[in-house]
């Protein structure tokens, strides 16, 4: 099982970006999916989480600006980021609880995608 993230890049403050992350491989089911981020010199933090039935949780710092969604048929999670601020600059990681074929539930991480917001 792999999580492949994409969509990062350089954007000016006030702009928007959309991140995507797809779970692939021999898997049976995907439960919670989430986005984390880690800025230089800081700890990794939860940005947003979405359950298999669509319930969402957001960090206070992104509420009203970011929207997490998912496509269960494609095992893909999205993060729509709007009104970006320089403080949003970080490497963004997707995370998911996956049940692989022939295995037990396991928590997987994607490879990270860099988001840079210029002032």
């Amino acid at each position: 099982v792999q999580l492949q993230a994409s969509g990062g890049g350089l954007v000016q403050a006030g702009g928007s970006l959309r991140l995507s992350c797809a779970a692939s491989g021999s898997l049976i089911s995907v439960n919670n999916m989430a986005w984390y981020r880690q800025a230089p010199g800081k700890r990794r933090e939860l940005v947003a989480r979405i359950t298999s039935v669509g319930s969402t949780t957001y960090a206070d710092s992104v509420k009203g600006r970011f929207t997490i969604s998912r496509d269960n048929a494609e095992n893909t999670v999205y993060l729509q980021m709007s009104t970006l601020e320089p403080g949003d600059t970080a490497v963004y990681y997707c995370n998911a609880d996956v049940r692989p074929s022939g295995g037990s539930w396991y928590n997987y991480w994607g490879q990270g995608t860099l988001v840079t917001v210029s002032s």
Side-chain angles (χ1 to χ4, degrees), residues 6-80:
S6 61
L10 173 64
V11 64
Q12 288 188 332
S16 298
L17 278 177
R18 188 192 196 207
L19 306 183
S20 301
C21 177
S24 62
S26 298
L27 59 90
I28 295 175
S29 185
V30 181
N31 197 358
N32 294 338
M33 304 186 83
W35 289 96
Y36 287 74
R37 67 185 181 187
Q38 187 167 18
K42 295 188 177 181
R43 297 171 61 180
R44 190 173 297 188
E45 62 175 359
L46 175 68
V47 176
R49 177 184 288 121
I50 185 167
T51 69
S52 59
V53 295
S55 296
T56 58
T57 303
Y58 294 93
D60 288 342
S61 59
V62 307
K63 283 181 181 177
R65 301 188 298 122
F66 291 11
T67 302
I68 190 170
S69 61
R70 64 189 288 170
D71 182 336
N72 288 336
E74 299 293 331
N75 294 319
T76 299
V77 62
Y78 304 97
L79 186 68
Q80 178 67 47

Side-chain angles (χ1 to χ4, degrees), residues 66-119:
F66 291 11
T67 302
I68 190 170
S69 61
R70 64 189 288 170
D71 182 336
N72 288 336
E74 299 293 331
N75 294 319
T76 299
V77 62
Y78 304 97
L79 186 68
Q80 178 67 47
M81 305 184 292
S82 303
T83 320
L84 283 160
E85 304 168 352
D88 296 316
T89 295
V91 177
Y92 284 71
Y93 298 90
C94 60
N95 176 275
D97 294 320
V98 179
R99 185 180 178 186
S101 299
S104 301
W105 288 98
Y106 190 80
N107 186 256
Y108 290 86
W109 289 93
Q111 85 282 11
T113 184
L114 177 62
V115 173
T116 303
V117 183
S118 63
S119 57

